[in-house]
Amino acid sequence: MSAILTIIKKEFARFFGDKRLLLTTILLPGILIYVIYTCIGTLTESLVQPSAQPVVCVRNMPDSLSAAITPLYDLSVEETDDEKVKESVRSGDVAMLVVFPQDFDEAIAEGTDIPNIRIYYNSADTSSLTAYSTLTALLDGYEESLANVFDINRGEEQFDFADTQSTTKYIMSMIVPMVLIMLLFSGCIAVVLESIAGEKERGTLATLLVTPVKRTHLAAGKIISLSVISMLSGLSSFLGLILSFPKMLSGAGEISLAMYGFADYLLLFLVVISTVLVLVSLMSIISAYARTSKEANGLMVPIMVLVMIGAVVSMFVPAGTIALYFVPILNSAMCISSIMSGAVSVTGFAITVCMNIAVTVLLAIGLAVMFNSEKIMFNS
């Protein structure tokens, strides 16, 4: 046990003693993710919600549509010459010119003629195109209401039983698993390759191997220390992601960390720990097999693809598929999704954690066997 602690202390001293490595691996990822996702949310919000009503000129406004159209636009155009208004639409000063027939309501009531509404707009202008799309949608709805055969969900009764919090949790359950798994993977790569392949390339690992430390203790110490460091990197990224969600998903409802209780965070923490152990163990084996850090990075590409597939597939897999909880990475993504949605599968959670620990033990044994191989460790 003392040998394992010695290896752990050595790894901690190497990592935490390097301020640049500490900054780029732990602090910088969370800050960058928070800034980037917040900027995306701000930009999206500004595009979806224009700052002012578009200026629109409407001729012969019918009484039947006045109450619906007036709140949508700024109807302050005083110009009476249609040709001049059209020029203003071309230049972008006016978003749209709408000309209703003078007898629009009478024609609709009598049904003897089909009135033609002329809408002049500029599709190259965002405000004009948005105004046009809004008005055509309104007119389409009005046209359908004239030939109403039946209604769906008419009245003030609540038909959708999903509240704002449930909707928000559903969105979180779709986004967080994929993003979190990839953040954990990136954090593990940043520390594992340098610790094994980097030391192997520099020759410092060979010096460590000739000491009277059991190779199993060396493997255990490496995996434990690298897992702790990777967890810190993943935690930084996760906090940056969660803190940026209220701004990034501002249109989806109120997002707050208070939506989840202590038990939810505890379950999430246990899943993340077991997932990091699997990733670190797997990367340690690949890193130990590679001759150089560059080769190790190349070998990580297919692993990254598989991890991405597992994280994405979890979004489309039914939560009750117990057999899939035996598949590493996919099981973690499914567990995270169920926690975020508020419908945790206790059986799935237990299988996931136990399976990840079992896989970690097997990979740690495999790493110890590799450490015992002179051909692998000394590239002979």
Side-chain angles (χ1 to χ4, degrees), residues 216-275:
T216 53
H217 292 171
L218 177 60
K222 284 280 187 182
I223 290 176
I224 293 174
S225 58
L226 294 176
S227 296
V228 172
I229 297 171
S230 299
M231 269 293 300
L232 293 176
S233 176
L235 178 62
S236 171
S237 301
F238 179 68
L239 288 177
L241 176 69
I242 293 297
L243 293 176
S244 66
F245 268 174
K247 191 65 177 178
M248 187 177 67
L249 302 177
S250 56
E254 183 180 355
I255 297 179
S256 171
L257 296 177
M259 290 191 303
Y260 303 100
F262 174 78
D264 296 319
Y265 288 111
L266 178 61
L267 295 178
L268 182 63
F269 180 69
L270 294 175
V271 172
V272 169
I273 286 180
S274 65
T275 305

Side-chain angles (χ1 to χ4, degrees), residues 176-250:
V176 172
M178 180 179 64
V179 177
L180 182 56
I181 292 295
M182 294 312 302
L183 292 177
L184 293 176
F185 185 86
S186 301
C188 292
I189 283 184
V191 297
V192 173
L193 298 190
E194 176 61 25
S195 175
I196 298 180
E199 288 193 6
K200 187 178 179 182
E201 187 176 3
R202 292 190 299 269
T204 55
L205 186 60
T207 304
L208 187 61
L209 290 172
V210 297
T211 60
V213 178
K214 290 184 178 180
R215 305 296 170 87
T216 53
H217 292 171
L218 177 60
K222 284 280 187 182
I223 290 176
I224 293 174
S225 58
L226 294 176
S227 296
V228 172
I229 297 171
S230 299
M231 269 293 300
L232 293 176
S233 176
L235 178 62
S236 171
S237 301
F238 179 68
L239 288 177
L241 176 69
I242 293 297
L243 293 176
S244 66
F245 268 174
K247 191 65 177 178
M248 187 177 67
L249 302 177
S250 56

Side-chain angles (χ1 to χ4, degrees), residues 32-254:
L32 286 177
I33 288 171
Y34 175 78
V35 171
I36 292 173
Y37 280 29
T38 300
C39 290
I40 291 175
T42 303
L43 180 61
T44 303
E45 186 177 4
S46 65
L47 292 175
V48 173
Q49 299 177 352
S51 56
Q53 288 181 318
V55 179
V56 173
C57 180
V58 180
R59 304 295 191 203
N60 309 319
M61 174 79 79
D63 295 336
S64 58
L65 291 172
S66 178
I69 294 178
T70 302
L72 299 177
Y73 307 110
D74 178 358
L75 304 177
S76 61
V77 178
E78 298 179 355
E79 178 60 57
T80 58
D81 188 345
D82 286 354
E83 293 302 320
K84 291 184 178 180
V85 176
K86 291 177 184 178
E87 287 299 324
S88 297
V89 173
R90 290 190 183 95
S91 64
D93 296 330
V94 176
M96 186 170 57
L97 169 61
V98 184
V99 181
F100 286 93
Q102 290 186 351
D103 55 351
F104 180 82
D105 284 339
E106 290 77 3
I108 292 295
E110 295 174 2
T112 57
D113 190 16
I114 300 177
N116 178 41
I117 305 171
R118 291 174 291 160
I119 304 176
Y120 303 93
Y121 69 104
N122 183 359
S123 61
D125 183 275
T126 303
S127 177
S128 179
L129 182 60
T130 303
Y132 172 77
S133 300
T134 303
L135 181 60
T136 52
L138 186 152
L139 294 175
D140 287 340
Y142 178 68
E143 184 181 23
E144 291 178 4
S145 68
L146 296 175
N148 187 31
V149 178
F150 60 87
D151 294 326
I152 299 176
N153 292 350
R154 182 198 299 180
E156 301 298 326
E157 183 182 356
Q158 180 181 357
F159 297 97
D160 185 359
F161 296 121
D163 54 17
T164 303
Q165 191 174 92
S166 299
T167 303
T168 303
K169 284 186 175 182
Y170 172 75
I171 296 174
M172 296 279 278
S173 70
M174 297 294 286
I175 297 176
V176 172
M178 180 179 64
V179 177
L180 182 56
I181 292 295
M182 294 312 302
L183 292 177
L184 293 176
F185 185 86
S186 301
C188 292
I189 283 184
V191 297
V192 173
L193 298 190
E194 176 61 25
S195 175
I196 298 180
E199 288 193 6
K200 187 178 179 182
E201 187 176 3
R202 292 190 299 269
T204 55
L205 186 60
T207 304
L208 187 61
L209 290 172
V210 297
T211 60
V213 178
K214 290 184 178 180
R215 305 296 170 87
T216 53
H217 292 171
L218 177 60
K222 284 280 187 182
I223 290 176
I224 293 174
S225 58
L226 294 176
S227 296
V228 172
I229 297 171
S230 299
M231 269 293 300
L232 293 176
S233 176
L235 178 62
S236 171
S237 301
F238 179 68
L239 288 177
L241 176 69
I242 293 297
L243 293 176
S244 66
F245 268 174
K247 191 65 177 178
M248 187 177 67
L249 302 177
S250 56
E254 183 180 355

Side-chain angles (χ1 to χ4, degrees), residues 331-343:
N331 57 6
S332 299
M334 291 175 62
C335 261
I336 295 172
S337 178
S338 65
I339 294 171
M340 290 290 103
S341 67

